[in-house]
């Protein structure tokens, strides 16, 4: 696989390319209501509720964020406001890339078309993509697909609109639960796990592991 030249390299955006900051935002907002010792599990449950929300029928990402933090706060008996719950969605377009991303993407983009499928709304994603430092052939969103990852419908939408087969792409993500597990189920054999510390490595799903995106050019022989 080290010399595999895909038709497209497909990416998760938030977390993999863009530095995902939901936890930092929640920590700042609720530090006065959640004990420091309890905060790690509070943040873990917030992440779990976000995942639970996207497994349902599609809804706008703003509602995903609000529902997830509302459910978390209810579980913890923490008071919150609609303004606080709206902070998460509003913050997303302001997030920039991980430091290792722009140079690696720019190098790979010279040889292979780059594609994003993101669990985002159309109104958000281009603000983040514009900061990545490389041209993208296509940018797909959950809003367009009317489905969020890890639902297979999301991957079907991406592959159908690229008019390619699963074995023709290389899918890159820092998340097994959202991306690499369902990608494996879809028959995407060529995968890269960017080990950013969000989730533990699970080699069963068959991928190349890199510590950051600077390792990607080497994966495709560049």
């Amino acid at each position: 696989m080290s010399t595999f030249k895909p038709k497209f390299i497909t990416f998760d955006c938030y977390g993999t390319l863009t530095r995902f900051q939901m936890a930092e935002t929640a920590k700042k907002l609720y530090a006065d209501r959640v004990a420091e010792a309890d905060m790690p599990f509070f943040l873990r449950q917030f992440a779990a509720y976000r995942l639970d929300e996207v497994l349902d029928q599609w809804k706008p990402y703003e509602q995903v964020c609000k529902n997830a933090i509302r459910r978390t706060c209810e579980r913890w008996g923490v008071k919150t406001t609609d303004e606080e719950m709206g902070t998460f969605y509003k913050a997303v377009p302001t997030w920039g890339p991980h430091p290792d991303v722009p140079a690696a993407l720019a190098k790979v983009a010279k040889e292979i078309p780059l594609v994003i499928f993101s669990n985002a709304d159309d109104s958000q994603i281009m603000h983040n993509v514009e900061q990545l430092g490389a041209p993208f052939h296509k940018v797909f969103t959950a809003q367009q697909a009317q489905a969020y990852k890890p639902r297979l419908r999301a991957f079907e939408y991406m592959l159908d609109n690229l008019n390619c087969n699963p074995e023709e792409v290389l899918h890159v993500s820092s998340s097994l639960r959202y991306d690499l597990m369902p990608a494996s189920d879809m028959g995407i054999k060529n995968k890269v796990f960017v080990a950013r510390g969000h989730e533990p490595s699970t080699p069963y799903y068959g991928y190349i592991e890199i510590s950051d995106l600077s390792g990607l050019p080497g994966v495709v022989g560049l």
Side-chain angles (χ1 to χ4, degrees), residues 2-221:
S2 61
T3 58
F4 173 65
K5 292 293 183 68
K7 186 174 181 180
F8 302 102
I9 303 180
T10 58
F11 294 88
D12 165 61
C13 185
Y14 300 123
T16 304
L17 303 179
T18 296
R19 194 169 75 83
F20 195 68
Q21 299 176 58
M22 284 284 182
E24 291 96 323
T25 303
K27 189 173 182 179
K28 290 177 183 177
L29 280 176
Y30 300 107
D32 61 336
R33 280 156 280 177
V34 178
E36 184 176 357
D38 293 332
M39 186 61 76
F41 192 54
F42 178 86
L43 299 177
R44 180 179 167 188
Q45 288 203 316
F46 179 33
Y49 278 123
R50 292 197 305 274
L51 176 61
D52 192 61
E53 285 291 326
V54 301
L55 294 174
D56 202 350
Q57 293 299 310
W58 181 86
K59 61 179 78 70
Y61 192 63
E62 182 175 15
Q63 198 60 53
V64 169
C65 295
K66 285 186 172 182
N67 287 356
I69 194 61
R70 174 185 52 77
R71 293 171 69 188
T72 307
C73 288
E74 287 176 352
R75 174 64 56 186
W76 284 77
V78 169
K79 291 184 178 181
T80 190
T81 66
D82 189 68
E83 182 179 1
E84 286 178 332
M85 291 189 292
T87 300
F88 298 94
Y89 178 80
K90 292 176 182 177
V92 173
T94 70
W95 297 341
H98 291 283
D100 52 275
V101 166
L105 287 182
K107 184 174 183 178
V108 175
K110 294 176 182 178
E111 302 293 335
I112 303 168
L114 309 182
V115 174
I116 282 175
F117 186 99
S118 178
N119 279 0
D121 287 350
D122 293 343
S123 62
Q124 298 173 303
I125 187 65
M126 294 313 297
H127 295 282
N128 306 102
V129 172
E130 288 166 1
Q131 300 182 62
L132 296 178
F136 279 81
H137 173 70
K138 293 286 185 180
V139 177
F140 300 117
T141 67
Q143 182 178 3
Q144 295 165 19
Q146 295 288 285
Y148 290 98
K149 300 176 297 182
R151 294 192 63 196
L152 298 187
R153 181 176 173 183
F155 286 89
E156 288 174 333
Y157 178 87
M158 180 180 73
L159 292 170
D160 288 347
N161 279 274
L162 290 174
N163 192 29
C164 69
N165 297 318
E167 61 270 17
E168 294 180 293
V169 306
L170 174 68
H171 191 64
V172 181
S173 179
S174 62
S175 174
L176 275 82
R177 296 181 80 179
Y178 279 91
D179 281 89
L180 299 182
M181 290 180 182
S184 180
D185 292 336
M186 282 296 297
I188 297 176
K189 297 178 181 179
N190 301 290
K191 299 178 290 296
V192 171
F193 176 50
V194 187
R196 296 204 183 274
H198 312 315
E199 301 169 17
S201 181
T202 310
Y204 171 83
Y205 290 95
Y207 49 73
I208 288 177
E209 182 172 328
I210 57 178
S211 60
D212 60 48
L213 215 69
S214 65
L216 182 62
V219 172
V220 291

